[in-house]
Amino acid sequence: MTATTVNPVLRVAPAAPAEAAAHFRASLAFHADVSDVAAALGSGGDAGFVVLDSRSTESWDQGHIPGAIHLPTALIAEQAEQLLDKAVPVVTYCWGPGCNGATRAALALAELGYRVKEMLGGFEYWVREGFEYETWEGRERRASDPLTAPVDAENCGC
């Protein structure tokens, strides 16, 4: 590479391997993906965490993860202690990657002393990956989107 043809990917050099490992290890302490949450919830035992939907009641009614606790972000400060046990980690979600509601909810919970992770992809990717969800009419499931989940495998192998 010459100084006149800078590759936009390498314009800022990658971090040293030890720095990169620390960063990605820390990221996994803060995030869980939809497939991992579904696998843990579907394993037949206690998953060891609760799932919290931080969206509005209208959004919750439109569809939510079965077994999730509904607690809109604006109500966390006043209602979290009645609904959640500080000894049990919480996984927050909102609509999807274009929404930072799960991040705001995770921050509010962490500031109250809860151990928390954010579910990447939110409700959008839960549905797109073909996992069952609930509405006010009952349980539903859509076919998985081949752009988000493998068509002929149980998991992506990530």
Side-chain angles (χ1 to χ4, degrees), residues 129 144-157:
E129 290 193 21
S144 61
D145 180 338
L147 294 176
T148 66
V151 175
D152 295 321
E154 267 190 46
N155 63 58
C156 67

Side-chain angles (χ1 to χ4, degrees), residues 111-152:
E111 288 176 337
L112 291 173
Y114 292 88
R115 293 179 298 147
V116 64
K117 287 189 174 196
E118 176 183 2
M119 186 177 79
L120 298 176
F123 184 69
E124 174 190 349
Y125 275 71
W126 184 270
V127 173
R128 288 181 73 187
E129 290 193 21
F131 298 119
E132 187 176 62
Y133 61 96
E134 289 182 314
T135 70
W136 61 273
E137 296 177 309
R139 291 194 176 204
E140 298 183 31
R141 179 182 300 236
R142 294 183 185 173
S144 61
D145 180 338
L147 294 176
T148 66
V151 175
D152 295 321

